Each structure stands twice: as structure tokens, then as C-alpha cells.
Amino acid sequence: KKSSTTTKKEDNKGNYFHKRKRTFQAIVRGHFKRPNTPMSECITGQIFNKPAGKLPPRIVVKGAISVITHLAPQLQARLDGECPRFLSPLVSTAQSVIARREATMERKNENNNDDDDDHNDDDATNKCNNNKSSQNNESQSLEDDIHEPQPSHPTSLLRNVIHSGAASKAGISTTLPRDTDNAATRTRQRKRAFDKLFAKAVKIPVFDTETEYTFEFFQHLISFEDFALDFVRPVGKQPLCGLLNGQPLKFMAGHQVKEKKEKEKGDGNGKL
């Protein structure tokens, strides 16, 4: 979704962006195809195959990167060179993350029910299972608002960090935060935890192929109406067309492995 300017009050009814600062939202849901991929090695952002176009003055670039780094402390930013990039850890960049293993099992059950030729005694059971599955799918619709799970809930990645032993390896509290915290607080807690896992290259927890993951992303820095980066003053709006040098903005995630020397130096850049 992306926001657009409206002038009539009635146009804002049901508008996702009404009274929200964000100008863009994207939700990705699916399964990982490669098993046991460390969450701390997965990144998202922008990586380009050609040099950037004409850059703004150095002071403007420095100010812009400073703003973005405040929002993403583990940002890897490089505007010069042959392959400019803006990359940050996948799990600590997403605004909401939900991991639902039961969603996969529900689909498997549905497939088994569809292949079952015996409809005599199992009709009522199958209908009940299908109704439950439909209700679960409706409650998790991509059109609904996505919220960060409570830390103790099985769909929470923060819970996974504690139970996998990753917390102690990264120097994170091994006690789950309170479920009574609001969604924004839960999101901050997850982001901080995974920033530490990324910085210390902790190999657990991992993404598995049996779990359905939902990632929600939103931001307010890109104005798609002007196709410009919209920073506060003194940076202001910076047009993207010239900066991108004819290259599109991507929606991507990747697996980044740090070399041994880079780990020792604390360098966040690695092979993709």
C-alpha cells in the first residue's frame, strides 16, 4: 500500500494511512526454502548494480545517513563505488513479524482432507476443520492490521530468541518481556534483540521451512507522489530519479555471510 493525498473527509474512511505518519506499507508472507538459515544473517534493503547518479552535497548525504542510522542502528550504507547499498538486518527492520507453524499444518490437513475419498463418517469432522482453518485465515488476512505478537505467544520471534539460548549468547535478558506491553514496545524489544544478534553474529535462532512467516514493513521517508526522500530540514526533499541512475527500487531480502576477518574487525559488510 502507499498513501495518496485526499481532500474530502469521507475519502479517509477506511483509509489505512489516515492520521498515520507512514506513507508506504508492504506485507510479505510465505515460507523459507532453505532450511536452518540463521536469522542474524538475513538482510533487507537496496543494493544496486551500477554507481549512483549525481549525489547531493556531502553534508546532505551525511545528514540523510545519520537520520536513517538512527532508525536502523545496524545499517550498512555505501553510496559511492560500483555497487551502492543500503542494507540492514531483516528481522530488526520489519515493523511486525509473525511466525505461524500451525498455519502450515492447517494447509497440510486441508490437502489431506481433499484427497480423502471416504466421506461417510468424516464429513462433519472435515467441515469443522475447514471452518476453523477458514476462520484462522480470515483473522490473519493481509488486509487486516498486523500487530507484533505478545512475547509469550508461540508466534513471537522474541520468544524464540529466549528458548533457543540465543539471548545468553548475545548478552540479552533471558526473561521474556511483559505481555501487557503495547505493540510498539514489543516491536522495539524485538528490534533491539535482533540488532544484538546481528552485531555478534549469533547463529541461532534459524528460519525453518515448516513455519509460515509474515513480515510487515512501513516507512515515511519515501514520498511516492514526488518520488523523493522526504527528510526533515535542513536536508529536506531529495529527488530519487537522478540519484538512482535509472535503477529501480527493489523489494528484497538476502542471506549475507560475514568472512572471518570481517567478524574480527566488526565490519558489517559481507558476501551476499
Side-chain angles (χ1 to χ4, degrees), residues 199 258-269:
K258 294 180 182 179
E259 298 293 335
K260 186 175 180 181
K261 290 182 179 179
E262 290 173 337
K263 290 180 182 178
E264 292 173 353
K265 292 180 181 178
D267 188 353
N269 295 316

Side-chain angles (χ1 to χ4, degrees), residues 2 6 9 30 65 82 95 125 137 141 143 145 148 151 175 184 198 226 228 236 241 243 246-248 252 260 262 272:
K2 71 179 182 66
T6 57
K9 289 185 178 179
I65 292 178
E82 294 298 316
Q95 298 298 330
T125 302
N137 288 336
S141 169
E143 293 299 321
D145 280 355
E148 183 75 15
T175 303
F198 180 84
D226 305 315
C241 287
L243 181 63
Q247 301 175 88
M252 59 82 73
K260 186 175 180 181
E262 290 173 337
L272 285 170

Side-chain angles (χ1 to χ4, degrees), residues 23-38:
T23 60
F24 172 86
Q25 183 214 31
I27 299 174
V28 178
R29 173 177 291 167
H31 297 77
F32 282 78
K33 294 183 177 180
R34 184 186 300 169
N36 302 320
T37 303

Side-chain angles (χ1 to χ4, degrees), residues 19 56 101 120 128 157 170 193 231:
K19 293 185 177 180
R101 193 176 184 87
N120 293 328
C128 181
L157 290 191
F231 294 104

Side-chain angles (χ1 to χ4, degrees), residues 1 8 18 23 25 54 72 82 99 104 110 126 129 133 146 148 154 158 162 166 190 195 203 220 247:
K1 302 175 185 176
K8 297 180 181 180
H18 183 48
T23 60
Q25 183 214 31
K54 184 179 179 181
E82 294 298 316
T104 305
E110 285 181 357
N126 289 344
N129 288 338
S133 179
I146 305 296
E148 183 75 15
L158 197 55
I162 304 297
R190 189 241 315 147
D195 273 339
K203 296 284 187 179
H220 65 277
Q247 301 175 88

Side-chain angles (χ1 to χ4, degrees), residues 182-254:
N182 60 33
T185 300
R186 298 197 297 269
T187 296
R188 284 195 299 271
Q189 291 164 342
R190 189 241 315 147
K191 285 173 174 281
R192 288 170 184 165
F194 277 92
D195 273 339
K196 289 185 178 180
L197 293 179
F198 180 84
K200 296 194 175 184
V202 178
K203 296 284 187 179
I204 51 176
V206 298
F207 288 115
D208 65 72
T209 57
E210 294 298 317
T211 299
E212 178 187 80
Y213 297 93
T214 301
F215 297 89
E216 179 193 31
F217 302 88
F218 57 76
Q219 56 80 41
H220 65 277
L221 292 179
I222 298 179
S223 170
F224 285 95
E225 292 184 342
D226 305 315
F227 201 56
L229 287 168
D230 191 4
F231 294 104
V232 296
R233 292 182 181 277
V235 178
K237 282 191 176 183
Q238 299 296 321
L240 280 169
C241 287
L243 181 63
L244 293 175
N245 193 18
Q247 301 175 88
L249 289 175
K250 304 177 181 69
F251 197 80
M252 59 82 73

Side-chain angles (χ1 to χ4, degrees), residues 37-222:
T37 303
M39 294 184 184
S40 65
E41 293 180 356
C42 293
I43 50 85
T44 186
Q46 301 291 327
I47 185 166
F48 301 101
N49 299 320
K50 296 190 302 184
K54 184 179 179 181
L55 296 175
R58 182 177 295 273
I59 189 172
V60 173
V61 172
K62 186 176 180 180
I65 292 178
S66 177
V67 171
I68 299 174
T69 303
H70 177 73
L71 300 174
Q74 295 298 326
L75 177 71
Q76 304 166 38
R78 189 175 69 202
L79 284 178
D80 55 352
E82 294 298 316
C83 296
R85 60 176 59 187
F86 279 89
L87 301 172
S88 58
L90 173 63
V91 180
S92 53
T93 300
Q95 298 298 330
S96 303
V97 185
I98 301 171
R100 296 185 67 231
R101 193 176 184 87
E102 62 270 22
T104 305
M105 300 306 296
E106 286 168 5
R107 290 196 179 91
K108 287 183 177 179
N109 289 337
E110 285 181 357
N111 292 335
N112 290 337
N113 289 339
D114 290 341
D115 295 337
D116 190 357
D117 293 328
D118 185 5
H119 297 291
N120 293 328
D121 296 329
D122 294 335
D123 276 351
T125 302
N126 289 344
K127 286 179 181 178
C128 181
N129 288 338
N130 287 336
N131 287 338
K132 287 181 180 178
S133 179
S134 297
Q135 290 171 2
N136 284 334
N137 288 336
E138 287 175 3
S139 65
Q140 294 292 320
S141 169
L142 296 182
E143 293 299 321
D144 294 339
D145 280 355
I146 305 296
H147 299 288
E148 183 75 15
Q150 294 176 324
S152 66
H153 198 273
T155 59
S156 170
L157 290 191
L158 197 55
R159 178 177 182 268
N160 203 348
V161 170
I162 304 297
H163 290 179
S164 67
S168 57
K169 290 179 179 290
I172 304 168
S173 172
T174 55
T175 303
L176 278 174
R178 298 172 298 177
D179 282 348
T180 53
D181 289 336
N182 60 33
T185 300
R186 298 197 297 269
T187 296
R188 284 195 299 271
Q189 291 164 342
R190 189 241 315 147
K191 285 173 174 281
R192 288 170 184 165
F194 277 92
D195 273 339
K196 289 185 178 180
L197 293 179
F198 180 84
K200 296 194 175 184
V202 178
K203 296 284 187 179
I204 51 176
V206 298
F207 288 115
D208 65 72
T209 57
E210 294 298 317
T211 299
E212 178 187 80
Y213 297 93
T214 301
F215 297 89
E216 179 193 31
F217 302 88
F218 57 76
Q219 56 80 41
H220 65 277
L221 292 179
I222 298 179

